[in-house]
Amino acid sequence: AQSLASISTPKASVLPSSSFAVSKRAIPNRQAIALISDHGDPAAEIGREEAGGQNVYVRQVGEALAKLGWQVDMFTRKSHPDDPAIVQHSLHCRTIRLQAGPESFVPRDQLFQYLPEFVEAFQKFQAKEGTNYPLIHTNYWMSAWIGLQLRQQSNIQLVHTYHSLGAVKYRAVAEKPAIAETRLAVEKQILEQANCIVATSPQEKEHLRSLVSQQGYIEVIPCGTDIDKFHVMPQSEARVALGFQPHEKIVLYVGRFDRRKGIETLVRAFAQVKQQLEANWATDLDTLILNPSLPLPTLRLVIVGGSDPAQSDGQERQRIEQIVRDLGLTDQTLFAGQIGHDRLPLYYTAADVCVIPSHYEPFGLVAIEAMACGTPVVASDVGGLKFTVVPEETGLLVPPQDGTAFANAIERILTDDIWVRKVRRQASARVQQNFSWTGVAVQLSDLYRRLMAQSLLAPSAFTALDPMAATPENIATAAVRA
Ligand code: UDP
């Protein structure tokens, strides 16, 4: 494996001058652990530029772990001068924003140079608090680099979640960014050297094995959703709350404006569905004769997600708006903007179908949020979506970027009422059983405890075994040998 030293190192770092206004924790006898999410601020507004699933994951996992008895400190980079250095989410869960680089938005491809500052700020924070985190869970490859640096200096258990995999992402990209080689090297290093990789789907584990390395220990623990917020509600009430009509057929997209999300495929598919449904309606003479006053089914496309005109997501939104205009869909399309998780369940509930047309999706939180609300999903047959969406049972999977396949799947869901009723029930049941944040946190908590038990044992006792395999059997055998 390429060593860390050989990965081009960022510029000399500077310690942040500002001190932290932090009080000592109220109850010190909890075990403190650190989650690091360098660029995905867990306290940020979700659904804007580069703020999506990773932010949600870290925040929700952090809060759920705190409920299970941990003291959870979530570290991120301070990216706005007005943002407070500490955000207390609950008594035992907080976001800590470290100064590393400018206090402004920096695209993730340009953040690597500031990571040494992050490492130093993290160490300074630990010293000031008198805390040594025995376990650090890093998120995304840049935080992995930070975790690997920290582990060189103290005995920590390192857990990593990728959120996105360069080896997969760059396959679909014509021109790789300058940072690509560094990213790929760090992603290989963390897989081989972390105490455990948390893959969020079996598909991700397969990708790690086939595209990154055969070495390293991986456990599959999925992402989750807040099933107290995202659950089945009467569709009519949600429509009234949002001002949608009962007879409308609503097709929903939720997510960031990013080309990888494939919104263009959805818009083009929607145009086909509209054409097809209108043609069918006009020829359905029986319906017309029996119900001469039946209104033409109105199709509506609702696109939820924030954007900033000065950033790349703003440009993608403009591009999508232009396609909507070119296809004559302006009257049918609503750009709802950024919607918080307090109101998002209304949108999922009001919709007849939620479409996830991503070219690549490591997990795809939107799929389980929609399903939790009992909304059928039409998604690309890629990545984590293959794991969460069960074809015919909770929705349909179709080839990515295939507009006609999306159109056919959407149309089927809009017209096959009897089957859809079953799909709705199965979708919400699948999420309740498999994807609650509490269930995810219980699995992570169990993993952390096993790893921390392992770290108490003499490292040499593990060398004859698989050093990465923190199974209860290995721990027991090692304990006997020690
Ligand atoms: N989201 C939101 N408001 C919006 C748009 C998106 O809260 O206006 C949330 C959405 O509910 C989901 C997350 O952003 O929890 C997107 O996660 P996903 O894994 O689907 O995609 P990513 O952004 O990680 O690529």
Side-chain angles (χ1 to χ4, degrees):
Q2 189 180 356
S3 78
L4 266 183
S6 66
I7 294 170
S8 60
T9 307
K11 70 173 191 196
S13 53
V14 182
L15 276 176
S17 53
S18 64
S19 59
F20 299 100
V22 190
S23 59
K24 296 277 178 207
R25 277 187 289 283
I27 302 172
N29 61 356
R30 285 193 163 215
Q31 179 60 65
I33 50 170
L35 307 187
I36 300 183
S37 177
D38 171 56
H39 83 279
D41 183 337
E45 187 185 45
I46 309 301
R48 296 286 298 272
E49 172 88 2
E50 298 198 359
Q54 182 177 329
N55 310 55
V56 172
Y57 176 92
V58 177
R59 168 79 173 269
Q60 296 285 349
V61 158
E63 293 204 36
L65 286 167
K67 284 186 193 144
L68 292 177
W70 302 87
Q71 166 64 40
V72 184
D73 289 346
M74 308 186 287
F75 291 86
T76 192
R77 196 184 77 85
K78 193 164 191 285
S79 62
H80 197 283
D82 299 337
D83 284 345
I86 308 257
V87 179
Q88 197 76 43
H89 301 291
S90 60
L91 187 56
H92 297 292
C93 179
R94 56 188 178 162
T95 292
I96 296 148
R97 296 187 171 114
L98 301 177
Q99 196 177 338
E103 289 191 351
S104 57
F105 173 77
V106 177
R108 43 182 129 162
D109 282 354
Q110 291 158 36
L111 274 176
F112 188 61
Q113 58 187 310
Y114 304 117
L115 300 190
E117 286 180 54
F118 193 106
V119 172
E120 286 184 61
F122 183 90
Q123 287 167 328
K124 196 178 170 202
F125 182 88
Q126 279 199 123
K128 196 172 165 64
E129 288 260 303
T131 307
N132 259 321
Y133 300 102
L135 183 140
I136 296 180
H137 185 157
T138 55
N139 294 274
Y140 197 63
W141 74 269
M142 282 184 289
S143 300
W145 188 90
I146 292 167
L148 288 164
Q149 297 295 302
L150 291 168
R151 201 173 60 174
Q152 283 181 353
Q153 286 149 48
S154 61
N155 177 25
I156 53 169
Q157 294 295 300
L158 198 51
V159 177
H160 181 67
T161 303
Y162 283 88
H163 295 280
S164 159
L165 207 52
V168 178
K169 182 175 175 173
Y170 297 141
R171 281 198 308 196
V173 171
E175 255 180 63
K176 291 184 199 168
I179 199 71
E181 290 311 316
T182 309
R183 173 176 178 175
L184 294 172
V186 173
E187 287 186 343
K188 183 163 189 282
Q189 214 151 21
I190 193 74
L191 172 53
E192 294 178 344
Q193 295 180 13
N195 298 87
C196 184
I197 296 297
V198 173
T200 54
S201 68
Q203 287 72 17
E204 186 184 353
K205 181 173 177 179
E206 256 171 56
H207 279 143
L208 285 167
R209 285 288 176 246
S210 62
L211 302 172
V212 182
S213 175
Q214 289 295 319
Q215 292 173 43
Y217 178 61
I218 305 173
E219 288 199 11
V220 176
I221 301 177
C223 292
T225 198
D226 183 346
I227 55 172
D228 292 333
K229 269 196 185 134
F230 295 95
H231 56 82
V232 176
M233 289 177 285
Q235 192 183 59
S236 53
E237 287 175 22
R239 289 198 173 192
V240 169
L242 297 175
F244 297 139
Q245 301 304 313
H247 66 274
E248 285 178 321
K249 299 272 186 198
I250 298 178
V251 179
L252 176 70
Y253 168 85
V254 175
R256 292 175 295 116
F257 283 91
D258 180 328
R259 276 212 184 200
R260 166 175 84 77
K261 290 290 185 181
I263 309 173
E264 174 173 355
T265 306
L266 166 59
V267 174
R268 295 194 184 284
F270 181 82
Q272 286 188 44
V273 175
K274 180 171 172 282
Q275 220 173 22
Q276 195 59 33
L277 283 189
E278 283 173 1
N280 289 352
W281 184 86
T283 52
D284 192 350
L285 285 178
D286 289 349
T287 310
L288 276 176
I289 291 163
L290 287 172
N291 294 296
S293 60
L294 194 74
L296 178 70
T298 317
L299 267 182
R300 193 193 272 271
L301 175 61
V302 180
I303 298 180
V304 169
S307 58
D308 179 340
Q311 304 292 349
S312 63
D313 59 355
Q315 287 154 21
E316 176 64 358
R317 173 166 167 166
Q318 280 168 17
R319 197 180 72 84
I320 298 296
E321 281 174 340
Q322 187 57 50
I323 298 169
V324 166
R325 278 194 294 274
D326 292 347
L327 293 171
L329 299 172
T330 306
D331 289 346
Q332 281 84 34
T333 308
L334 170 71
F335 288 89
Q338 194 272 337
I339 305 289
H341 275 196
D342 47 336
R343 281 180 70 75
L344 208 46
L346 289 174
Y347 282 83
Y348 288 123
T349 305
D352 291 290
V353 57
C354 179
V355 183
I356 306 165
S358 311
H359 302 173
Y360 158 59
E361 196 60 75
F363 185 81
L365 285 176
V366 166
I368 55 173
E369 289 167 6
M371 280 160 41
C373 296
T375 306
V377 168
V378 170
S380 297
D381 190 7
V382 295
L385 298 168
K386 288 168 125 156
F387 169 52
T388 51
V389 181
V390 183
E392 300 292 329
E393 283 185 28
T394 70
L396 293 168
L397 291 173
V398 295
Q401 303 188 62
D402 184 338
T404 302
F406 270 94
N408 291 338
I410 293 168
E411 193 185 333
R412 204 178 138 203
I413 287 184
L414 294 183
T415 51
D416 192 342
D417 291 345
I418 294 169
W419 167 64
V420 162
R421 239 175 275 156
K422 213 163 79 184
V423 169
R424 285 184 174 280
R425 276 198 307 275
Q426 290 167 169
S428 66
R430 176 158 173 75
V431 177
Q432 300 230 355
Q433 281 155 21
N434 300 287
F435 303 114
S436 75
W437 281 123
T438 310
V440 170
V442 166
Q443 292 176 67
L444 286 173
S445 193
D446 174 56
L447 169 67
Y448 295 170
R449 282 187 210 290
R450 281 184 281 133
L451 292 175
M452 282 164 59
Q454 174 188 342
S455 76
L456 294 176
L457 302 169
S460 58
F462 259 91
T463 47
L465 305 167
D466 174 5
M468 298 295 176
T471 60
E473 291 74 18
N474 275 0
I475 289 167
T477 317
V480 171
R481 287 185 194 178

